[in-house]
Amino acid sequence: MFNNPLKLLYNISMKLTVLPEKTGLKKLKTSYTAAVVLDILRATTTITTALENGCRGVIPVSGVDEARQLAGSNPNLLLGGERSAVKVPGFHLGNSPLEYSAGTVRGKVVVLTTTNGTGAIKLAAQKAGTVLIGCLLNARAVAEKLLNFNGQILLLCAGTGGNFSLEDTLAAGWIIKEFLALKNIDQYSGTAAAELHRQADDVYNGVIMDDMAVACYRLALYYNNKTLDALYDSLHGQKLAQLNMYRDLIYCSKLNTSSIVPIYRDGIITI
Ligand code: MLT
């Protein structure tokens, strides 16, 4: 009857947790019903764009050699990815979402390797029943999808080199903001939540958040629609700007332009 342990403690059905960088996941014992992987600059934005533009699937791999071996000489496979934000020599595509146009990717499968993002996706699959791919482009679509789940939900920020990154946590916050709005919660407030606990009543329509999730939510409220400002504020955003990749920052900062939610299953990301 009580297959969800959270329900034993409070009258809640979902706990939203945000991990600010992927390596922290290895030591966690929790299993998650669903995880949303976020690498806004740029892996998960690129994957979402590729699939939106008719790509048949994206195979995330961790290493460059592994990617080359997998792709072999198959003409239907495109090799994509970066190291230090720059296209890997000999690959068809880098990691700019702008390269993944319909003319290039429609009907193709892409083998993708990136510094942080593709590894985060594979790691998430070890801990979560369902792995979704999120970014600012599909924040509302991801939030809508999360309505179908309960239990422990993880928003996994890829981060950069084992460190927190502003743009991924901002996207986690935006997904939470959209999710709470869908639950008719305009403003999350800890004080109101405590009062609901006291009354042993439903806590925010059955949702609780860890402190990092609350911080991300507040970050999204702070930047609000000025997501491009946040990307320029971020260290990786600065690096891309130095490499003259301004157009990528503008593109990756767009909110709710896509209604697709890519899913990673059996080694491949599809919609
Ligand atoms: C990553 O996976 O680290 C990123 O997507 C790097 C980038 O291409 O900007």
Side-chain angles (χ1 to χ4, degrees), residues 15 28 42 57 73 86 90 104 111 133 137 163 221 235 250 265:
K15 180 173 181 189
L28 290 190
R42 296 163 293 176
S73 52
V86 175
T104 304
V111 177
I133 305 300
L137 307 188
N163 292 314
L221 292 180
L235 202 59
I250 294 167
R265 200 187 283 129

Side-chain angles (χ1 to χ4, degrees), residues 17-22 24-25 28 32 154-158 212:
T17 298
V18 176
L19 261 192
E21 61 82 29
K22 68 173 190 303
L25 188 59
L28 290 190
Y32 297 90
L154 175 68
L155 301 180
L156 178 65
C157 301
M212 184 53 82

